[in-house]
Amino acid sequence: MDSTARERNIARARLKFLQSAEPPASVVPEKIRDSWQRSKHWGIGIDEVTVPYQPDYDRESRLMRAATPVLDRLERTLAGSDVCVIVTDRKGWVRDRRVGELRLSAHLDRVKLAPGFSYAEQFVGTNGIGMALEERRSSMVLGTEHFNERLQKVSCAASPIRNPISGRVEGAINLTCWNGPAGSLMAALVQEAADDVERMLYESGTTCEHALLEAFRQATHYGCRPVLCLGQDLLLANSAAAGRLTGDDHRLLHEAAAELGHAPRTRRRVQLTGGRSVLVRCRRVDGPAGKAGYLLDLTFDDAPTAEEPGGTAGSRAPGGSRGGDTRPCPLPGLAGADPAWNTVARTAARCARERVPLLIYGEAGTGKAALARAAHAFAGTAWAPVVIDAADPRYGADGATAPNRPYNAYEATGPDDAPLPGSLPYALRSAPAGPGRALVLLHLDAVTTARAPAVAQALSAAAARGTWTVATLGRAPEGADTLLRCFAEAVTVPPLRHRLADLPALVDALLRRVGAGAECSPEVLPLLRRQDWPGNVRQLESVLRKAAAGRRTYRVEPRDLPPSLHAAGHRALSGWETAERDTLVAALLEADGNKLLAAQRLGISRTTVYRKMRAYGITLPAHH
C-alpha cells in the first residue's frame, strides 16, 4: 500500500472513530489506536490547538545542559532542511526548538509547538512527544495519525530521554518535518540523539551516583532477586523489588540501612508497612569521595520455594493451575489478590520456570504482555524477553508480498523454505534463543491461515532450543489448529471490571509506576469502582497518570479525576453533550458540591443543575 492510500485509510478510520463509540479500525497501528482512545477520553479538540503556556522555566537545568551540545550539532547538520528538533521535559513542556526552514517554523508557531508550551498528550492528543512520554518508549506519528487536524501536515518521531543512572524519564527529544518518505530515517536519528543526551547526562552525574549505579548493575546482572540501592538523592530498584515496596517502605529501609551502615556487610529483619517484614542484607557502597549509599539485598517472608514459584508443589489441576491453591503470587511490578488473577499469575510463573509454552488470552489493556514479562523476570533469568507484534504493519505482507496482491505462502520463504528477511517468521527465527530466553508474540490473532504454518514452525524451533515461548491474543486466530498446537497451556487474564476488589492494590502500584509520588484519597476509590473500564488496566493507568500530574495536594482527590468518571451513563454522548457534562462537573467540584453556587456561576437555575445531573448520572462524593 502506497503512502497516499495509507493516509486516506487512516483518515477514514479516524473520522469513523470520532463519529461512533466503536474502537478504531485495525488498519490503524495499535499504538495510534490506543492514543486516539486516550485523546477521545480526555475530550481533546480536533480543529484547534489549545495548550497551556508556562514562560518561566529553568533554562540551565541538568537536562538542558546535557541536551544543548546535541541540539547544536543537529542544528548544524539539519541547517536548511525542513526538519525541526525539539526537546521537552518529562511533563511535555517544550524547552528548546531548532528549526532550519522559515515556513516550517511559522507553521509550528501557529500550532504552538514552541518553547513554553506543553505538548503532553492530555492537552494536544496524539502526537510524537505526547506518546513517547505517555508510553515511555519511542514513537512515530505520521500525518493523518495525529488526533488534531491542525497537526496533520507534519510527521514526527520522538524518543524519551532517560536518566542512565536512575532510569527515570527526564524528557523527550523530537524531530518534526513536513509529511514525506523520511519516516524510518527520522526514527533512527531521534533514537541516536536521545542516546547522545543520555550519555551527556551520565557524564554529568556525580561520582557517588556512578558508584551506586555500578554496584547496582553488578548485583542485578545475574538472576532477579529483589535489590534496592539507596543514595542521598537516588533510589534504584529492580522490578522484583519495585513492585513490592511503597514510598514508606523505602523510608524504613533507608533508616535501617543507615543504622547498619557502619559494618561492611550485615543483615537485619525490617518491619514494613502493612505488617510485612523482609530480611535485609546491607552493604555500604563507597565512592571516591567516601560513602555513596547502600546496597540492599531483600528476602521477603513469602518468597517462593524451590519447588514452585510463588507457592508450593502439588498436583496439577486442569487448565494448568495447582489444585485449590489461590494464594497470591507476587509477580514483579504487578498487583492483585483476586482468586482468578492469582490462578493466572501462578500458572504463568510455573510455565516460565518450567519453560512450558503459554498462550495468554484477554481483552485489550488487561496486561497480557506485562504478565509475560513479569513471569519471565520471576523465573530469575538475566535477559529481557524479545517481544514481536504480529499486527505490526511491517509484517502485514510478510515483507514479501507486493501491494494489492493476495498473500501466497510460498512468497514468504526462500531457498530451502527459509523465511525471507522482513517477514514475521524471519523475525521470530532471528530472535535470540536458548535457555533463559523468552520470545513473546503479541496479537497471535493477526496471523492469517496462510501465514500460520511458517509462524508455527518458527515458534516450535525457538521452543526446541529452550526458549520460553508466549503468545497473546484477544480472540481465536484464523489458523487456529496450527498455531494453538504450539502452546501446551493457556490462561485468560480477567478484565478489570471482574476484579474490582483489586482496585486499591492496582491504584497504589500504578501510581508508583508513573512515578507520581502520590496516594489516592478514600473518596476516589468509589468513583473508580463504578466504572466499566473498557480499556482495563491500561485505561486506569492513563487516568491516574493525568490525575497525579494535575493534583493540587500530596494526594489524588476526586476533583483531580476526569469529569467522565463523575458520571454514569449507558449511551454514547455527542460532542456537545460531553462538553456540557464536563462543564457541569467542573463547576460542581469548584463549588464543593454546592448546587446553588454552581448554578449561579454557570448562569442557569438550580433546577436545571439537578435535571442535568440526573440525565448524565452525575454523582459526587458524600463529603461534598
Side-chain angles (χ1 to χ4, degrees), residues 297-329:
D297 196 322
L298 310 177
T299 302
F300 291 91
D301 286 344
D302 55 352
T305 66
E307 289 79 11
E308 173 69 11
T312 58
S315 59
R316 187 174 301 175
S321 64
R322 303 287 175 177
D325 194 348
T326 58
R327 289 180 299 164
C329 179

Side-chain angles (χ1 to χ4, degrees), residues 15-16 67 228 379:
L15 183 60
K16 184 176 179 180
L228 194 68

Side-chain angles (χ1 to χ4, degrees), residues 2 81 109 210 244 273 296-297 303 338 423 487 617:
D2 61 39
S81 68
D109 286 342
H210 292 166
R244 310 197 59 188
T273 56
L296 309 183
D297 196 322
D338 177 84
S423 67
F487 303 94

